[in-house]
Amino acid sequence: MVPIGFVSDHMEVLYDLDTEATAKAAELGLPVRRSATVGSDPRFAAAVRDLLLERAATERGTRVERCALGALGPSTTCAPSAAAPPGPNAPRRPAPTARTRRASARVRSRTRVRGGPRIARTRA
């Protein structure tokens, strides 16, 4: 077993994998070995640090040479943070038209519950 979605051993990993999954494998007669999580491995910590420094430089507007393994090169960067203002080349949302305003009003009127918060209704 490889706990890919987890970077450290904590109660969920220890119980789900080391207890439940191991017991189920034993019940089925399957051999089990679990890989360690990356935890505090210095290589993992260095990779996270590099990503943070790269992101900070990008937010400051500095061009950064991104690291990558293999022939495909680096993948796309993550979406801009919510706190950062959009850049000069960011796509702009089109201005609402009379048609889109009417459609929005219809949706709002169908999702309002008298005396309560707005919620979407579902059909049975």
PDB file of all heavy atoms in Angstrom, residues 91-113:
ATOM      1  N   PRO A  91      -8.156  36.896 -18.316  1.00  0.00           N
ATOM      2  CA  PRO A  91      -9.414  36.990 -19.069  1.00  0.00           C
ATOM      3  C   PRO A  91     -10.433  37.811 -18.297  1.00  0.00           C
ATOM      4  O   PRO A  91     -10.523  37.731 -17.084  1.00  0.00           O
ATOM      5  CB  PRO A  91      -9.857  35.535 -19.213  1.00  0.00           C
ATOM      6  CG  PRO A  91      -9.097  34.774 -18.197  1.00  0.00           C
ATOM      7  CD  PRO A  91      -7.855  35.557 -17.905  1.00  0.00           C
ATOM      8  N   ARG A  92     -11.172  38.615 -19.003  1.00  0.00           N
ATOM      9  CA  ARG A  92     -12.181  39.461 -18.382  1.00  0.00           C
ATOM     10  C   ARG A  92     -13.549  38.825 -18.519  1.00  0.00           C
ATOM     11  O   ARG A  92     -13.868  38.236 -19.551  1.00  0.00           O
ATOM     12  CB  ARG A  92     -12.204  40.839 -19.047  1.00  0.00           C
ATOM     13  CG  ARG A  92     -10.884  41.557 -18.988  1.00  0.00           C
ATOM     14  CD  ARG A  92     -10.690  42.172 -17.612  1.00  0.00           C
ATOM     15  NE  ARG A  92      -9.426  42.897 -17.605  1.00  0.00           N
ATOM     16  CZ  ARG A  92      -8.541  42.760 -16.651  1.00  0.00           C
ATOM     17  NH1 ARG A  92      -8.737  41.952 -15.672  1.00  0.00           N
ATOM     18  NH2 ARG A  92      -7.425  43.454 -16.695  1.00  0.00           N
ATOM     19  N   ARG A  93     -14.351  38.938 -17.499  1.00  0.00           N
ATOM     20  CA  ARG A  93     -15.722  38.447 -17.556  1.00  0.00           C
ATOM     21  C   ARG A  93     -16.530  39.430 -18.384  1.00  0.00           C
ATOM     22  O   ARG A  93     -16.442  40.639 -18.182  1.00  0.00           O
ATOM     23  CB  ARG A  93     -16.268  38.376 -16.133  1.00  0.00           C
ATOM     24  CG  ARG A  93     -17.673  37.882 -16.058  1.00  0.00           C
ATOM     25  CD  ARG A  93     -18.116  37.827 -14.638  1.00  0.00           C
ATOM     26  NE  ARG A  93     -18.506  36.461 -14.370  1.00  0.00           N
ATOM     27  CZ  ARG A  93     -18.935  36.059 -13.207  1.00  0.00           C
ATOM     28  NH1 ARG A  93     -18.993  36.887 -12.209  1.00  0.00           N
ATOM     29  NH2 ARG A  93     -19.295  34.820 -13.045  1.00  0.00           N
ATOM     30  N   PRO A  94     -17.321  38.926 -19.340  1.00  0.00           N
ATOM     31  CA  PRO A  94     -18.101  39.855 -20.163  1.00  0.00           C
ATOM     32  C   PRO A  94     -19.138  40.594 -19.332  1.00  0.00           C
ATOM     33  O   PRO A  94     -19.643  40.076 -18.343  1.00  0.00           O
ATOM     34  CB  PRO A  94     -18.765  38.952 -21.199  1.00  0.00           C
ATOM     35  CG  PRO A  94     -18.709  37.587 -20.628  1.00  0.00           C
ATOM     36  CD  PRO A  94     -17.533  37.550 -19.696  1.00  0.00           C
ATOM     37  N   ALA A  95     -19.428  41.818 -19.742  1.00  0.00           N
ATOM     38  CA  ALA A  95     -20.434  42.614 -19.033  1.00  0.00           C
ATOM     39  C   ALA A  95     -21.801  41.944 -19.186  1.00  0.00           C
ATOM     40  O   ALA A  95     -22.108  41.381 -20.236  1.00  0.00           O
ATOM     41  CB  ALA A  95     -20.476  44.022 -19.614  1.00  0.00           C
ATOM     42  N   PRO A  96     -22.618  41.956 -18.118  1.00  0.00           N
ATOM     43  CA  PRO A  96     -23.925  41.318 -18.219  1.00  0.00           C
ATOM     44  C   PRO A  96     -24.813  42.028 -19.235  1.00  0.00           C
ATOM     45  O   PRO A  96     -24.791  43.250 -19.356  1.00  0.00           O
ATOM     46  CB  PRO A  96     -24.493  41.429 -16.809  1.00  0.00           C
ATOM     47  CG  PRO A  96     -23.685  42.445 -16.111  1.00  0.00           C
ATOM     48  CD  PRO A  96     -22.375  42.550 -16.816  1.00  0.00           C
ATOM     49  N   THR A  97     -25.568  41.241 -19.959  1.00  0.00           N
ATOM     50  CA  THR A  97     -26.519  41.792 -20.918  1.00  0.00           C
ATOM     51  C   THR A  97     -27.907  41.721 -20.297  1.00  0.00           C
ATOM     52  O   THR A  97     -28.102  41.119 -19.242  1.00  0.00           O
ATOM     53  CB  THR A  97     -26.510  40.970 -22.215  1.00  0.00           C
ATOM     54  OG1 THR A  97     -26.944  39.642 -21.905  1.00  0.00           O
ATOM     55  CG2 THR A  97     -25.133  40.929 -22.848  1.00  0.00           C
ATOM     56  N   ALA A  98     -28.895  42.340 -20.957  1.00  0.00           N
ATOM     57  CA  ALA A  98     -30.270  42.272 -20.452  1.00  0.00           C
ATOM     58  C   ALA A  98     -30.715  40.822 -20.355  1.00  0.00           C
ATOM     59  O   ALA A  98     -31.395  40.422 -19.410  1.00  0.00           O
ATOM     60  CB  ALA A  98     -31.202  43.082 -21.356  1.00  0.00           C
ATOM     61  N   ARG A  99     -30.314  40.007 -21.329  1.00  0.00           N
ATOM     62  CA  ARG A  99     -30.712  38.592 -21.334  1.00  0.00           C
ATOM     63  C   ARG A  99     -30.126  37.854 -20.132  1.00  0.00           C
ATOM     64  O   ARG A  99     -30.816  37.095 -19.457  1.00  0.00           O
ATOM     65  CB  ARG A  99     -30.249  37.958 -22.635  1.00  0.00           C
ATOM     66  CG  ARG A  99     -30.623  36.525 -22.754  1.00  0.00           C
ATOM     67  CD  ARG A  99     -30.170  35.965 -24.070  1.00  0.00           C
ATOM     68  NE  ARG A  99     -30.446  34.551 -24.137  1.00  0.00           N
ATOM     69  CZ  ARG A  99     -30.079  33.776 -25.120  1.00  0.00           C
ATOM     70  NH1 ARG A  99     -29.426  34.284 -26.138  1.00  0.00           N
ATOM     71  NH2 ARG A  99     -30.354  32.509 -25.099  1.00  0.00           N
ATOM     72  N   THR A 100     -28.832  38.047 -19.842  1.00  0.00           N
ATOM     73  CA  THR A 100     -28.228  37.337 -18.710  1.00  0.00           C
ATOM     74  C   THR A 100     -28.774  37.849 -17.387  1.00  0.00           C
ATOM     75  O   THR A 100     -28.913  37.080 -16.444  1.00  0.00           O
ATOM     76  CB  THR A 100     -26.691  37.450 -18.728  1.00  0.00           C
ATOM     77  OG1 THR A 100     -26.305  38.822 -18.702  1.00  0.00           O
ATOM     78  CG2 THR A 100     -26.097  36.759 -19.932  1.00  0.00           C
ATOM     79  N   ARG A 101     -29.120  39.149 -17.301  1.00  0.00           N
ATOM     80  CA  ARG A 101     -29.714  39.667 -16.063  1.00  0.00           C
ATOM     81  C   ARG A 101     -31.076  39.049 -15.816  1.00  0.00           C
ATOM     82  O   ARG A 101     -31.422  38.686 -14.703  1.00  0.00           O
ATOM     83  CB  ARG A 101     -29.803  41.192 -16.116  1.00  0.00           C
ATOM     84  CG  ARG A 101     -28.473  41.888 -15.842  1.00  0.00           C
ATOM     85  CD  ARG A 101     -28.668  43.371 -15.607  1.00  0.00           C
ATOM     86  NE  ARG A 101     -29.091  44.067 -16.815  1.00  0.00           N
ATOM     87  CZ  ARG A 101     -28.263  44.638 -17.685  1.00  0.00           C
ATOM     88  NH1 ARG A 101     -26.971  44.585 -17.491  1.00  0.00           N
ATOM     89  NH2 ARG A 101     -28.725  45.251 -18.750  1.00  0.00           N
ATOM     90  N   ARG A 102     -31.892  38.896 -16.884  1.00  0.00           N
ATOM     91  CA  ARG A 102     -33.210  38.262 -16.733  1.00  0.00           C
ATOM     92  C   ARG A 102     -33.063  36.806 -16.312  1.00  0.00           C
ATOM     93  O   ARG A 102     -33.783  36.322 -15.448  1.00  0.00           O
ATOM     94  CB  ARG A 102     -34.000  38.361 -18.037  1.00  0.00           C
ATOM     95  CG  ARG A 102     -34.582  39.738 -18.304  1.00  0.00           C
ATOM     96  CD  ARG A 102     -35.600  39.714 -19.439  1.00  0.00           C
ATOM     97  NE  ARG A 102     -35.092  39.121 -20.667  1.00  0.00           N
ATOM     98  CZ  ARG A 102     -34.492  39.790 -21.651  1.00  0.00           C
ATOM     99  NH1 ARG A 102     -34.320  41.095 -21.553  1.00  0.00           N
ATOM    100  NH2 ARG A 102     -34.068  39.171 -22.732  1.00  0.00           N
ATOM    101  N   ALA A 103     -32.115  36.109 -16.924  1.00  0.00           N
ATOM    102  CA  ALA A 103     -31.902  34.697 -16.573  1.00  0.00           C
ATOM    103  C   ALA A 103     -31.463  34.568 -15.118  1.00  0.00           C
ATOM    104  O   ALA A 103     -31.936  33.696 -14.392  1.00  0.00           O
ATOM    105  CB  ALA A 103     -30.870  34.072 -17.504  1.00  0.00           C
ATOM    106  N   SER A 104     -30.574  35.440 -14.662  1.00  0.00           N
ATOM    107  CA  SER A 104     -30.125  35.400 -13.273  1.00  0.00           C
ATOM    108  C   SER A 104     -31.278  35.671 -12.322  1.00  0.00           C
ATOM    109  O   SER A 104     -31.400  35.046 -11.275  1.00  0.00           O
ATOM    110  CB  SER A 104     -29.013  36.425 -13.034  1.00  0.00           C
ATOM    111  OG  SER A 104     -27.881  36.083 -13.770  1.00  0.00           O
ATOM    112  N   ALA A 105     -32.147  36.613 -12.665  1.00  0.00           N
ATOM    113  CA  ALA A 105     -33.302  36.928 -11.818  1.00  0.00           C
ATOM    114  C   ALA A 105     -34.244  35.731 -11.728  1.00  0.00           C
ATOM    115  O   ALA A 105     -34.773  35.425 -10.663  1.00  0.00           O
ATOM    116  CB  ALA A 105     -34.043  38.152 -12.358  1.00  0.00           C
ATOM    117  N   ARG A 106     -34.442  35.017 -12.841  1.00  0.00           N
ATOM    118  CA  ARG A 106     -35.307  33.828 -12.810  1.00  0.00           C
ATOM    119  C   ARG A 106     -34.718  32.755 -11.907  1.00  0.00           C
ATOM    120  O   ARG A 106     -35.421  32.125 -11.138  1.00  0.00           O
ATOM    121  CB  ARG A 106     -35.506  33.285 -14.228  1.00  0.00           C
ATOM    122  CG  ARG A 106     -36.512  34.065 -15.033  1.00  0.00           C
ATOM    123  CD  ARG A 106     -36.917  33.312 -16.293  1.00  0.00           C
ATOM    124  NE  ARG A 106     -35.811  32.916 -17.140  1.00  0.00           N
ATOM    125  CZ  ARG A 106     -35.284  33.675 -18.100  1.00  0.00           C
ATOM    126  NH1 ARG A 106     -35.749  34.890 -18.323  1.00  0.00           N
ATOM    127  NH2 ARG A 106     -34.286  33.229 -18.826  1.00  0.00           N
ATOM    128  N   VAL A 107     -33.425  32.544 -11.982  1.00  0.00           N
ATOM    129  CA  VAL A 107     -32.782  31.528 -11.139  1.00  0.00           C
ATOM    130  C   VAL A 107     -32.904  31.915  -9.677  1.00  0.00           C
ATOM    131  O   VAL A 107     -33.247  31.099  -8.832  1.00  0.00           O
ATOM    132  CB  VAL A 107     -31.298  31.343 -11.540  1.00  0.00           C
ATOM    133  CG1 VAL A 107     -30.560  30.519 -10.510  1.00  0.00           C
ATOM    134  CG2 VAL A 107     -31.206  30.715 -12.916  1.00  0.00           C
ATOM    135  N   ARG A 108     -32.660  33.199  -9.366  1.00  0.00           N
ATOM    136  CA  ARG A 108     -32.773  33.635  -7.971  1.00  0.00           C
ATOM    137  C   ARG A 108     -34.184  33.456  -7.450  1.00  0.00           C
ATOM    138  O   ARG A 108     -34.390  33.040  -6.322  1.00  0.00           O
ATOM    139  CB  ARG A 108     -32.328  35.098  -7.846  1.00  0.00           C
ATOM    140  CG  ARG A 108     -30.826  35.281  -7.843  1.00  0.00           C
ATOM    141  CD  ARG A 108     -30.449  36.682  -7.394  1.00  0.00           C
ATOM    142  NE  ARG A 108     -31.040  37.724  -8.237  1.00  0.00           N
ATOM    143  CZ  ARG A 108     -30.490  38.211  -9.345  1.00  0.00           C
ATOM    144  NH1 ARG A 108     -29.337  37.734  -9.766  1.00  0.00           N
ATOM    145  NH2 ARG A 108     -31.079  39.160 -10.032  1.00  0.00           N
ATOM    146  N   SER A 109     -35.183  33.755  -8.264  1.00  0.00           N
ATOM    147  CA  SER A 109     -36.566  33.641  -7.786  1.00  0.00           C
ATOM    148  C   SER A 109     -36.953  32.183  -7.566  1.00  0.00           C
ATOM    149  O   SER A 109     -37.739  31.875  -6.685  1.00  0.00           O
ATOM    150  CB  SER A 109     -37.536  34.307  -8.769  1.00  0.00           C
ATOM    151  OG  SER A 109     -37.587  33.572  -9.975  1.00  0.00           O
ATOM    152  N   ARG A 110     -36.405  31.260  -8.328  1.00  0.00           N
ATOM    153  CA  ARG A 110     -36.736  29.843  -8.155  1.00  0.00           C
ATOM    154  C   ARG A 110     -36.006  29.210  -6.998  1.00  0.00           C
ATOM    155  O   ARG A 110     -36.397  28.157  -6.517  1.00  0.00           O
ATOM    156  CB  ARG A 110     -36.399  29.070  -9.423  1.00  0.00           C
ATOM    157  CG  ARG A 110     -37.393  29.304 -10.526  1.00  0.00           C
ATOM    158  CD  ARG A 110     -37.110  28.372 -11.651  1.00  0.00           C
ATOM    159  NE  ARG A 110     -35.763  28.621 -12.148  1.00  0.00           N
ATOM    160  CZ  ARG A 110     -35.438  28.761 -13.417  1.00  0.00           C
ATOM    161  NH1 ARG A 110     -36.346  28.651 -14.338  1.00  0.00           N
ATOM    162  NH2 ARG A 110     -34.211  28.996 -13.785  1.00  0.00           N
ATOM    163  N   THR A 111     -34.937  29.812  -6.542  1.00  0.00           N
ATOM    164  CA  THR A 111     -34.146  29.192  -5.480  1.00  0.00           C
ATOM    165  C   THR A 111     -34.376  29.839  -4.123  1.00  0.00           C
ATOM    166  O   THR A 111     -33.732  29.471  -3.163  1.00  0.00           O
ATOM    167  CB  THR A 111     -32.645  29.250  -5.815  1.00  0.00           C
ATOM    168  OG1 THR A 111     -32.262  30.607  -5.987  1.00  0.00           O
ATOM    169  CG2 THR A 111     -32.330  28.449  -7.046  1.00  0.00           C
ATOM    170  N   ARG A 112     -35.278  30.783  -4.017  1.00  0.00           N
ATOM    171  CA  ARG A 112     -35.523  31.443  -2.736  1.00  0.00           C
ATOM    172  C   ARG A 112     -36.608  30.691  -1.977  1.00  0.00           C
ATOM    173  O   ARG A 112     -37.639  30.329  -2.513  1.00  0.00           O
ATOM    174  CB  ARG A 112     -35.949  32.889  -2.944  1.00  0.00           C
ATOM    175  CG  ARG A 112     -36.001  33.669  -1.648  1.00  0.00           C
ATOM    176  CD  ARG A 112     -36.132  35.143  -1.874  1.00  0.00           C
ATOM    177  NE  ARG A 112     -35.058  35.704  -2.662  1.00  0.00           N
ATOM    178  CZ  ARG A 112     -33.913  36.161  -2.159  1.00  0.00           C
ATOM    179  NH1 ARG A 112     -33.695  36.102  -0.888  1.00  0.00           N
ATOM    180  NH2 ARG A 112     -33.004  36.673  -2.947  1.00  0.00           N
ATOM    181  N   VAL A 113     -36.354  30.445  -0.719  1.00  0.00           N
ATOM    182  CA  VAL A 113     -37.327  29.801   0.164  1.00  0.00           C
ATOM    183  C   VAL A 113     -37.853  30.867   1.110  1.00  0.00           C
ATOM    184  O   VAL A 113     -37.084  31.614   1.702  1.00  0.00           O
ATOM    185  CB  VAL A 113     -36.668  28.653   0.962  1.00  0.00           C
ATOM    186  CG1 VAL A 113     -37.634  28.075   1.967  1.00  0.00           C
ATOM    187  CG2 VAL A 113     -36.175  27.587   0.011  1.00  0.00           C
TER     188      VAL A 113
END
